[in-house]
Amino acid sequence: MRETNFGFPRVPPPSSPAAAAAAEPEPSPKRRRVGEAAEEPLPPPEMREEALERLRGVVRDSIGKHLYASAIFLAGKVAAATGDPADLYMLAQALFLGRHFRRALHLLNNSRLLRDLRFRFLAAKCLEELKEWHQCLLMLGDAKVDEHGRVLDQDDGSDIYFDKDAEDHEINIKSAICFLRGKAYEALDNRDLARQWYKAAIKADPLCYEALECLVDNYMLTCEEESELMSSLQFREEDGWLSAFYSCLITKHEKEYVVDAKFKELERESCSISSSSSGETLKNNTDVLACKAEYYHQSGEYQKCWQLTSSLLERDPFHLKGTLVHLAAAMELGHSNDLYLLACNLVKDYPQKAISWFAVGCYYYCIKKYDQARRYFGKATGLDGTFPPAWIGTGIAYAAQEEGDQAMAAFRTAARLFPGCHLPTLYMGMQYVRMHNFKLAEQFFTQAKSICPSDPLIYNELGVVAYNMKEYRKAVQLFELTLDHTSSSLNEMWEPTLVNLGHALRKLKEYQRAVSYYEKALTFPTKSLSAFAGLAYTYHLMDNFEAAINYYHKALWLKPDDQFCTDMLTYALESSCHSTARRRIV
């Protein structure tokens, strides 16, 4: 059979041993010139190591420049040349960053180095990206954790960590593993175990901010549990600024002077990481400003909150936590135009984020189009079922249309998903007040108080329940407790509380005290019908008909068809005429 030579010239087989020797190919791929040495010496080992180190540097630089294909190509050659675990890990990292998750996982599994915690963690991260949560937990190993975040390892202690030298400059690998376990359990809808593993992560290393962020932003802890967790963290001496920031982060309803002291402490501690020549501190850091803005919103200082978030977003327009607080302040202030512009920008920049569609819902809620508001709040919860504001917004939008059953369903879902958030429970209590079911309302308000005992709004609602149950002395105590829990300077948010306190004191016939609280309520720009009517009626009961008539007129100026004020004005005018007549007779 004829042989194919693929275009190369045929060489006849040697006919003798001498010819065979003569025909033997040269070992060098190059043809040597006359006088050239028979063999070239190999480069010295240090030169080869220098070339490999240069390639490693290029891989790191390619990753830094997001040239992942180049990084994968070069890292593969280095790993093939050395077989070193560090080079294999570098290749796996490049594959992971290039989103080749299956390939990275295959490499890590075949490396037989999964005893190294770095290899195991990276393999679990690949499974996280692939949404294979059960396999992710299996990869991370068998371990248990208690309610306080203490890890009870069940393995045999065979884990190793090859990169010990860098530990002082890293987040603890065990903290990262605990955090990933928490994410896996949260994805599997086991929020109790997720909460415990997040606590374990932040306890293992307080620098693991992501774990604390999940606990705080997803309302996994009550106020008391947050304080206990903060007191249990072990910070390094140089991390005092971090301890101060975390303390500010969990501040929600403290007195103004307490909050100011915490932020001053943060500013003082931040000097430890500031340049001595620049004199800059963390005072104007966007995360710190967002934290302060959130406090202003919680305490009802909506204008201060709006101004602070506006300046924050001028510096960093894409700071999402600051944006969320900005949305809340805009809603309270009725800035519908700003909400519209902000919602348009968010939908354009982040169409797959829940906050974008929540912003659209806020705009429609602000202009009282509640059907559209509900639709977009629902879209936000569809994109992210663990986004608390959208669930609460859905319930409030239903409540605004007096659709109590749907509102309660939304609030119940929020209460189940976010056990550390007292607002759903509080709003459920408000719904029962609307239905005049005061006993059930009191139970929900008490439950909300157990979650967040420092929110003054809870005490106001408990006072409303006591007032409606004709327990006026108890109502006075609760309304006074409300004012005690507010920040040092009262603002218009607490005008209803002052009016409620006036009503309760009037029922107890403490007219002078009632008048003082009504008058204090009328110092705010938002003057209410209830304040004018309450003050007029109190003066009427004191037989001060002239003052009563004056305030009845002011109340009717706000609402001309108010039946109570119309009837009482007529009665006051008659009483005033009789009184004048009696004085003349005398």
Side-chain angles (χ1 to χ4, degrees):
M1 186 171 72
R2 184 177 177 181
E3 289 187 23
T4 304
N5 61 8
F6 298 104
F8 293 105
R10 291 179 62 83
V11 179
S15 56
S16 66
E24 197 172 295
E26 294 185 22
S28 172
K30 292 183 179 180
R31 186 182 296 276
R32 293 198 303 270
R33 296 190 181 94
V34 177
E36 195 173 22
E39 292 185 6
E40 292 182 10
L42 291 171
E46 58 270 16
M47 284 183 64
R48 283 181 291 171
E49 185 56 39
E50 182 180 339
L52 287 170
E53 191 56 42
R54 175 180 170 275
L55 283 178
R56 292 187 186 105
V58 174
V59 171
R60 289 190 289 269
D61 183 64
S62 298
I63 289 173
K65 290 185 170 71
H66 308 287
L67 302 172
Y68 298 125
S70 298
I72 293 166
F73 174 77
L74 296 171
K77 306 306 172 285
V78 174
T82 65
D84 186 85
D87 293 327
L88 286 171
Y89 183 76
M90 182 173 67
L91 173 58
Q93 279 276 35
L95 288 167
F96 178 85
L97 293 169
R99 304 193 65 77
H100 299 281
F101 304 120
R102 289 284 181 198
R103 190 177 169 195
L105 183 62
H106 179 75
L107 173 69
L108 291 164
N109 281 327
N110 284 355
S111 69
R112 298 185 181 180
L113 290 168
L114 290 179
R115 283 178 57 213
D116 182 354
L117 292 179
R118 291 175 310 161
F119 279 70
R120 187 188 300 176
F121 178 69
L122 186 54
K125 287 292 291 181
C126 293
L127 290 164
E128 176 202 6
E129 293 291 341
L130 296 167
K131 310 298 182 191
E132 297 181 9
W133 300 110
H134 290 290
Q135 293 299 318
C136 177
L137 289 169
L138 286 174
M139 179 63 69
L140 291 172
D142 187 20
K144 292 182 180 178
V145 65
D146 66 11
E147 182 59 36
H148 302 289
R150 290 189 291 261
V151 180
L152 312 170
D153 284 315
Q154 300 297 309
D155 52 35
D156 58 3
S158 61
D159 289 339
I160 54 177
Y161 185 55
F162 289 147
D163 199 14
K164 286 281 185 184
D165 295 338
E167 277 189 324
D168 288 341
H169 308 288
E170 294 179 347
I171 288 179
N172 188 304
I173 186 69
K174 291 190 176 180
S175 173
I177 287 173
C178 290
F179 174 69
L180 186 50
R181 278 196 180 106
K183 287 194 73 175
Y185 280 117
E186 188 173 11
L188 293 170
D189 207 24
N190 190 337
R191 294 177 67 82
D192 287 337
L193 270 178
R195 181 182 70 250
Q196 292 168 20
W197 280 112
Y198 287 147
K199 287 166 74 172
I202 193 70
K203 282 188 172 185
D205 192 340
L207 288 168
C208 187
Y209 171 73
E210 286 175 273
L212 184 66
E213 189 176 42
C214 287
L215 288 169
V216 173
D217 290 356
N218 292 341
Y219 295 98
M220 290 187 166
L221 303 176
T222 64
C223 293
E224 184 181 355
E225 288 171 337
E226 285 178 350
S227 299
E228 287 177 2
L229 180 62
M230 288 300 105
S231 62
S232 69
L233 298 184
Q234 302 295 321
F235 292 93
R236 296 187 182 188
E237 186 178 348
E238 63 270 23
D239 290 337
W241 66 271
L242 186 64
S243 174
F245 177 74
Y246 285 176
S247 181
C248 293
L249 191 66
I250 66 169
T251 299
K252 290 184 174 67
H253 303 285
E254 296 286 350
K255 287 280 191 181
E256 191 172 3
Y257 69 88
V258 175
V259 176
D260 286 342
K262 287 184 177 181
F263 279 105
K264 284 177 182 175
E265 181 188 358
L266 172 59
E267 188 177 347
R268 186 173 62 253
E269 292 287 351
S270 67
C271 295
S272 63
I273 59 169
S274 300
S275 169
S276 57
S277 59
S278 68
E280 290 291 327
T281 64
L282 295 180
K283 180 179 180 180
N284 295 318
N285 176 262
T286 51
D287 289 329
V288 175
L289 292 177
C291 187
K292 189 175 287 189
E294 190 174 4
Y295 166 72
Y296 284 142
H297 180 266
Q298 294 283 3
S299 58
E301 298 280 358
Y302 301 125
Q303 192 59 44
K304 280 186 181 179
C305 177
W306 170 262
Q307 291 169 354
L308 191 58
T309 52
S310 297
S311 62
L312 186 159
L313 294 177
E314 281 180 12
R315 295 171 52 192
D316 186 355
F318 305 102
H319 193 284
L320 293 184
K321 190 170 285 189
T323 300
L324 184 59
V325 184
H326 192 66
L327 285 169
M331 272 189 70
E332 295 290 349
L333 295 170
H335 293 174
S336 57
N337 289 340
D338 295 292
L339 280 171
Y340 178 80
L341 292 172
L342 191 56
C344 289
N345 289 332
L346 284 169
V347 169
K348 180 183 70 175
D349 295 328
Y350 302 107
Q352 295 305 315
K353 283 193 176 291
I355 189 175
S356 304
W357 302 104
F358 172 72
V360 179
C362 289
Y363 165 71
Y364 281 114
Y365 184 89
C366 191
I367 62 173
K368 301 187 184 333
K369 292 189 176 180
Y370 301 118
D371 285 332
Q372 290 93 325
R374 287 198 332 252
R375 186 184 312 141
Y376 287 106
F377 288 147
K379 185 164 185 176
T381 58
L383 285 171
D384 183 0
T386 61
F387 187 63
W391 283 109
I392 294 171
T394 301
I396 292 173
Y398 274 121
Q401 293 182 299
E402 298 186 359
E403 296 184 21
D405 291 341
Q406 291 90 334
M408 292 293 281
F411 291 140
R412 284 193 195 98
T413 303
R416 178 179 59 82
L417 291 174
F418 317 111
C421 183
H422 68 289
L423 293 178
T425 312
L426 179 65
Y427 291 142
M428 280 192 276
M430 290 178 177
Q431 286 299 307
Y432 281 117
V433 169
R434 285 186 180 185
M435 293 184 278
H436 300 283
N437 191 336
F438 301 115
K439 285 290 184 183
L440 262 178
E442 187 176 27
Q443 290 178 20
F444 278 98
F445 292 143
T446 304
Q447 185 181 342
K449 188 176 76 168
S450 69
I451 298 171
C452 183
S454 55
D455 186 356
L457 188 57
I458 297 171
Y459 297 98
N460 179 76
E461 297 306 314
L462 283 168
V464 170
V465 168
Y467 183 89
N468 281 286
M469 295 174 72
K470 303 188 185 317
E471 298 174 358
Y472 301 120
R473 183 61 61 189
K474 182 181 177 182
V476 167
Q477 293 171 352
L478 287 163
F479 290 136
E480 288 176 340
L481 204 55
T482 303
L483 300 178
D484 288 341
H485 277 82
T486 58
S487 58
S488 57
S489 56
L490 282 176
N491 55 62
E492 60 192 38
M493 176 182 178
W494 304 111
E495 184 262 354
T497 303
L498 294 169
V499 175
N500 291 341
L501 184 50
H503 291 339
L505 289 167
R506 191 193 73 237
K507 289 286 188 180
L508 294 170
K509 300 184 179 180
E510 298 183 22
Y511 298 132
Q512 288 297 339
R513 287 186 66 198
V515 166
S516 69
Y517 281 108
Y518 286 133
E519 289 178 340
K520 193 178 290 186
L522 290 172
T523 60
F524 298 116
T526 54
K527 294 174 173 57
S528 69
L529 171 71
S530 185
F532 280 122
L535 186 55
Y537 188 50
T538 306
Y539 277 127
H540 196 157
L541 292 171
M542 295 167 69
D543 293 333
N544 188 341
F545 301 118
E546 186 178 346
I549 291 166
N550 180 35
Y551 283 107
Y552 282 135
H553 277 299
K554 290 183 177 181
L556 288 168
W557 180 79
L558 289 176
K559 189 180 180 184
D561 60 344
D562 185 75
Q563 192 63 46
F564 172 80
C565 289
T566 302
D567 293 344
M568 294 310 297
L569 175 60
T570 304
Y571 183 53
L573 288 167
E574 291 174 357
S575 299
S576 178
C577 290
H578 291 312
S579 177
T580 304
R582 279 197 303 269
R583 282 199 301 270
R584 284 177 181 174
I585 291 170
V586 172

